């Protein structure tokens, strides 16, 4: 199976990191190519090329609805928005050319910011998966140009819509649009029935033991005769480190999810005594939930310090300072979590 991943956005954020983990965790029987936005971060492009047979840099306009602050911006908005939608359609034709030339079997749009991958799949009658990682919808953090109609189009243009959490799936379920929730992963069983049992991609614990993994200190140690006695220990540390990184990525997304009920609680009316009492009750419940994420981040950061201590003791002497920098970053995360809670 030849899969084409479409990833909008120039900067490196949660969805791109998730895409990278999918690429590197994908079983060998799946070939993979990537469409990234022209002007995308060069460092990420190089990382993607390690695991993708081809990386195509194309324009990927978004259909996200921007907040217009000035009168002039609001006056230009209808024409500007129409032009962006047209550019999304034009980009779809370029992606469709890639699909035909590379004989793509499945298109996977890895976030909800651009419809071009889905349109290209529809133009070429290619199966399409839409992976929603953002809080979209008319009243969410990332409203789309066509409002809630965009959500119905997402379902119509896709064989499957996957959400990375119940929170991102909420708006679809309110509109009775069928979606599947797979936390930070992808089940390809429906599209590759001969590939064996369904796999949750991005599960770092199942990576082949010989594969190089993130972690500068560890990767500078593996394969060096001088550190042969500790190589197995470093392999274990690398595996633990990647599981920890995945956990922290999930907590970033969860932090946004738990903040939304708190934001709604702040907006509750307080005119009557009953309304004030109800708001206090909801606020307390929301605050308790909101504090759980930074506390979990602090726990993960403490675990990160423990791992970095072992890296510094057993890893390459050339990268001890990098382990020290990692400890400083973990300490900053702990302090930040403390400030969020207190």
């Amino acid at each position: 199976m030849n899969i084409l991943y479409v990833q909008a956005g120039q900067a490196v954020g949660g969805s791109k990191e998730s895409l990278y983990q999918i690429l590197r965790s994908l079983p060998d029987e799946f070939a993979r190519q990537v469409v990234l936005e022209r002007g995308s971060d060069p460092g990420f492009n190089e990382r993607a090329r390690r695991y993708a047979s081809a990386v195509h840099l194309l324009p990927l306009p978004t259909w996200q609805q921007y907040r217009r602050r000035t009168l002039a911006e609001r006056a230009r908005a209808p024409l500007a928005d129409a032009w962006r939608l047209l550019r999304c359609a034009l980009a779809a034709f370029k992606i469709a050319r890639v699909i035909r030339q590379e004989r793509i079997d499945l298109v996977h749009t890895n976030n909800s910011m651009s419809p071009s991958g889905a349109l290209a799949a529809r133009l070429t009658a290619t199966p399409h998966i839409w992976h929603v990682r953002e809080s979209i919808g008319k009243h969410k953090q990332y409203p789309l140009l066509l409002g809630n109609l965009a959500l119905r189009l997402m379902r119509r243009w896709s064989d499957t819509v996957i959400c990375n959490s119940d929170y991102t799936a909420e708006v679809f379920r309110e509109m009775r649009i069928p979606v599947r929730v797979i936390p930070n992963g992808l089940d390809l069983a429906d599209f590759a029935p001969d590939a064996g049992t369904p796999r949750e991609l991005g599960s770092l614990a199942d990576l082949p033991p010989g594969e190089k993994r993130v972690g500068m200190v560890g990767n500078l140690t593996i394969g060096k005769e001088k550190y042969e006695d500790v190589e197995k220990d470093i392999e274990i540390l690398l595996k633990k480190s990647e599981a920890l990184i995945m956990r922290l990525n999930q907590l970033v997304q969860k932090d946004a999810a738990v903040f939304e009920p708190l934001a709604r609680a702040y907006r509750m009316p307080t005119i009557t005594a009953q309304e004030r009492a109800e708001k206090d009750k909801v606020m307390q419940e929301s605050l308790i939930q909101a504090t759980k994420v930074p506390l979990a981040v602090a726990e993960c950061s403490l675990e990160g310090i423990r791992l970095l201590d072992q890296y510094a003791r057993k890893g390459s002497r050339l990268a001890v300072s990098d382990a020290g920098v990692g400890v400083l970053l973990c300490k900053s995360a702990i302090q930040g979590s403390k400030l969020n809670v207190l």
Side-chain angles (χ1 to χ4, degrees), residues 322-342:
D322 296 286
V325 171
V327 170
L328 292 175
L329 292 172
C330 289
K331 285 184 175 180
S332 296
I334 293 172
Q335 290 295 324
S337 300
K338 180 180 177 181
L339 289 172
N340 281 330
V341 172
L342 299 180

Side-chain angles (χ1 to χ4, degrees), residues 197-217:
T197 57
R199 295 173 174 88
E200 291 259 333
L201 304 181
S203 176
L204 295 175
D206 292 333
L207 283 171
E211 185 181 337
K212 291 289 184 81
R213 302 175 176 83
V214 292
M216 180 184 295
V217 184

Side-chain angles (χ1 to χ4, degrees), residues 175-336:
M175 297 176 63
R176 298 184 179 180
I177 298 174
V179 296
R180 296 167 65 182
V181 175
I182 303 179
N184 222 14
L186 177 62
D187 187 345
L188 289 173
D190 293 343
F191 299 91
D194 298 327
T197 57
R199 295 173 174 88
E200 291 259 333
L201 304 181
S203 176
L204 295 175
D206 292 333
L207 283 171
E211 185 181 337
K212 291 289 184 81
R213 302 175 176 83
V214 292
M216 180 184 295
V217 184
N219 286 332
L220 287 175
T221 305
I222 299 277
K224 303 294 191 300
E225 184 178 353
K226 181 179 179 180
Y227 300 102
E228 186 177 355
D229 292 343
V230 297
E231 184 164 316
K232 292 297 182 183
D233 294 339
I234 296 296
E235 283 281 354
I236 294 171
L237 284 174
L238 286 167
K239 198 169 186 178
K240 289 181 178 179
S241 298
E242 288 185 337
L244 188 62
I245 289 170
M246 179 63 78
R247 171 63 175 153
L248 286 166
N249 282 333
Q250 292 171 342
L251 287 172
V252 169
Q253 297 169 14
K254 190 174 181 180
D255 185 60
V258 298
F259 180 77
E260 183 65 21
L262 182 60
R264 288 197 298 263
Y266 276 116
R267 296 192 294 266
M268 291 177 67
T270 56
I271 298 174
T272 67
Q274 183 177 358
E275 287 176 339
R276 289 192 292 272
E278 179 63 21
K279 180 176 181 178
D280 287 342
K281 178 184 176 183
V282 174
M283 282 285 294
Q284 288 303 312
E285 293 173 353
S286 301
L287 284 168
I288 290 172
Q289 294 302 315
T291 58
K292 290 182 179 179
V293 177
L295 288 173
V297 170
E299 290 176 357
C300 288
S301 300
L302 182 60
E303 176 61 20
I305 291 174
R306 295 191 184 103
L307 294 175
L308 287 162
D309 176 66
Q310 295 181 60
Y311 275 127
R313 294 174 186 275
K314 299 179 180 179
S316 170
R317 297 291 95 190
L318 296 174
V320 171
S321 62
D322 296 286
V325 171
V327 170
L328 292 175
L329 292 172
C330 289
K331 285 184 175 180
S332 296
I334 293 172
Q335 290 295 324

Side-chain angles (χ1 to χ4, degrees), residues 24-190:
R24 64 203 299 271
S25 304
L26 202 63
D28 292 338
E29 59 262 35
F30 295 103
R32 60 281 241 177
Q33 300 188 33
V34 183
V35 171
L36 297 175
E37 186 169 348
R38 187 176 295 164
S40 178
D41 179 79
F44 181 84
N45 299 350
E46 289 305 313
R47 291 166 62 199
R49 286 190 176 96
R50 298 175 194 170
Y51 301 98
S53 59
V55 174
H56 310 273
L57 299 178
L58 299 174
L60 286 174
T62 71
W63 63 346
Q64 183 181 345
Q65 187 176 55
Y66 299 131
R67 183 176 298 176
R68 315 295 185 177
R69 299 184 181 278
T70 67
L71 182 61
E73 288 176 341
R74 289 194 289 271
R76 291 195 301 265
L79 183 59
D81 291 346
W83 172 238
R84 264 202 298 143
L85 289 174
L86 176 60
R87 289 176 60 219
C88 288
L90 294 174
F93 284 102
K94 295 183 178 182
I95 298 173
R97 190 180 303 122
V98 172
I99 293 172
R100 294 190 183 100
Q101 290 176 347
E102 302 295 335
R103 298 183 179 180
I104 299 298
D105 301 306
L106 172 67
V107 179
H108 173 188
T109 296
N110 197 51
N111 63 19
S112 52
M113 294 296 98
S114 176
S116 299
L119 285 169
R122 192 168 179 84
L123 286 170
T124 56
T126 304
H128 178 258
I129 292 173
W130 208 319
H131 207 146
V132 178
R133 304 177 181 279
E134 300 81 17
S135 174
I136 60 174
K138 188 174 180 181
H139 302 296
K140 297 292 184 178
Q141 290 173 298
Y142 300 97
L144 304 179
L145 284 178
L146 300 179
N148 287 342
L149 173 62
L151 277 66
R152 298 196 183 280
L153 291 175
M154 290 173 75
R155 182 64 188 94
R156 180 173 294 182
W157 294 342
S158 305
D159 293 76
T160 301
V161 175
I162 295 174
C163 295
N164 69 342
S165 68
D166 287 322
Y167 176 67
T168 53
E170 183 180 272
V171 64
F172 290 94
R173 289 169 174 165
E174 288 174 355
M175 297 176 63
R176 298 184 179 180
I177 298 174
V179 296
R180 296 167 65 182
V181 175
I182 303 179
N184 222 14
L186 177 62
D187 187 345
L188 289 173
D190 293 343

